[in-house]
Amino acid sequence: SHIRRVHALDVTLQDLRERSADRRIVAHFLDRVLSPDLLREEVRAHVRPFCAWRGLDADEAVEEYVLELAEQVYHQDQELCLHRAAALIPCLASAEGQARCLVELLKRWDDGGTPTDLQPLIAEAEGWRPDLRDAVKDQLALRKVKRVLRKYGLIGEGSGDVSFVRMAWYNTRIVYHLLSRSDGDASTLRDSLAILEVLPQQFTRAEALFIRLTHLVAAIPLDG
């Protein structure tokens, strides 16, 4: 068949008859490449020619594959999924597609820091149009909140998207909980203020300092 001859991939007629067959074949192309460093060449040499032959949007197919990798980030080998996704994102022609994939990976990545593989894309995002750039910055800010929540046991491993903290009732409770901790130290106040940088609408910095001072004074034992 054409696919076997041109792309060295064996598929059956039944494979081609199934729904979403073309996208599954694109996934087969990419799955067969073990090294993330070789994925861009696979897209150039096989994915794009195949999609052109089948009348399929190659960028949409690759983006779908990357988003599936993002879904797998905390279910499987997250570093391998991340390496593969990060290698494929620059293959997308549009900044919109790149932004969608980058934002989703930042949501799903569960380790503390920002992955090194994503740093070049984050730097490139500075040159994107404002709405795309702000979407990336928003996820980076939410990652700071995620680190604080995990530090104090307010969320568990594999929590993924924490955008729910933007709900007014929730972020108010978080900040007040940290500020009122009797066992808190200077880092508790710093963490509370770090959340306020992301969620500034509920407490001002001065109000947070006043709440913390009030609880510190209340914790001082009275003589006699």
Side-chain angles (χ1 to χ4, degrees):
S1 71
H2 172 87
I3 298 174
R4 182 184 298 111
R5 184 177 69 255
V6 175
H7 303 292
L9 184 70
D10 285 326
V11 296
T12 65
L13 289 175
Q14 182 61 35
D15 290 332
L16 292 173
R17 292 192 188 101
E18 293 179 3
R19 294 185 62 185
S20 304
D22 291 339
R23 292 182 184 274
R24 287 179 61 249
I25 290 171
V26 168
H28 286 323
F29 284 137
L30 298 172
D31 285 344
R32 72 181 179 179
V33 178
L34 300 181
S35 170
D37 293 337
L38 300 178
L39 284 169
R40 291 195 197 187
E41 177 59 20
E42 185 73 6
V43 172
R44 185 201 66 80
H46 296 288
V47 173
R48 290 198 178 279
F50 171 77
C51 288
W53 177 59
R54 297 290 291 179
L56 183 68
D57 187 311
D59 275 4
E60 286 184 5
V62 173
E63 180 179 338
E64 182 179 292
Y65 184 87
V66 172
L67 292 176
E68 287 178 359
L69 286 175
E71 286 284 338
Q72 297 168 16
V73 156
Y74 56 75
H75 295 300
Q76 298 184 22
D77 184 337
Q78 66 170 359
E79 288 194 6
L80 178 58
C81 290
L82 180 79
H83 294 333
R84 294 178 67 81
L88 285 168
I89 291 176
C91 298
L92 301 174
S94 72
E96 292 84 356
Q98 292 186 18
R100 283 190 293 270
C101 292
L102 178 54
V103 165
E104 200 61 30
L105 283 168
L106 289 171
K107 283 182 184 178
R108 303 290 181 179
W109 180 252
D110 208 40
D111 277 0
T114 301
T116 303
D117 283 8
L118 298 183
Q119 294 292 355
L121 289 163
I122 292 170
E124 185 178 336
E126 289 296 324
W128 293 346
R129 69 173 193 245
D131 61 320
L132 302 180
R133 183 175 64 243
D134 290 347
V136 174
K137 288 182 176 180
D138 184 65
Q139 281 307 313
L140 291 171
L142 285 174
R143 288 186 62 75
K144 293 181 182 179
V145 176
K146 181 190 283 190
R147 287 195 291 272
V148 173
L149 296 181
R150 182 162 295 143
K151 175 180 177 181
Y152 294 97
L154 298 175
I155 61 171
E157 297 293 328
S159 300
D161 186 5
V162 294
S163 58
F164 60 85
V165 300
R166 291 202 180 282
M167 292 186 292
W169 67 270
Y170 190 88
N171 64 55
T172 300
R173 289 178 61 188
I174 291 172
V175 175
Y176 192 84
H177 171 77
L178 295 180
L179 292 171
S180 61
R181 286 174 67 102
S182 60
D183 60 342
D185 54 18
S187 68
T188 307
L189 178 59
R190 284 196 300 270
D191 291 335
S192 300
L193 295 177
I195 291 180
L196 287 180
E197 292 178 4
V198 181
L199 310 168
Q201 68 272 29
Q202 295 303 309
F203 289 103
T204 66
R205 187 182 181 91
E207 288 169 335
L209 292 171
F210 177 77
I211 293 169
R212 184 63 186 148
L213 181 60
T214 299
H215 282 85
L216 288 175
V217 171
I220 298 174
L222 298 176
D223 292 333

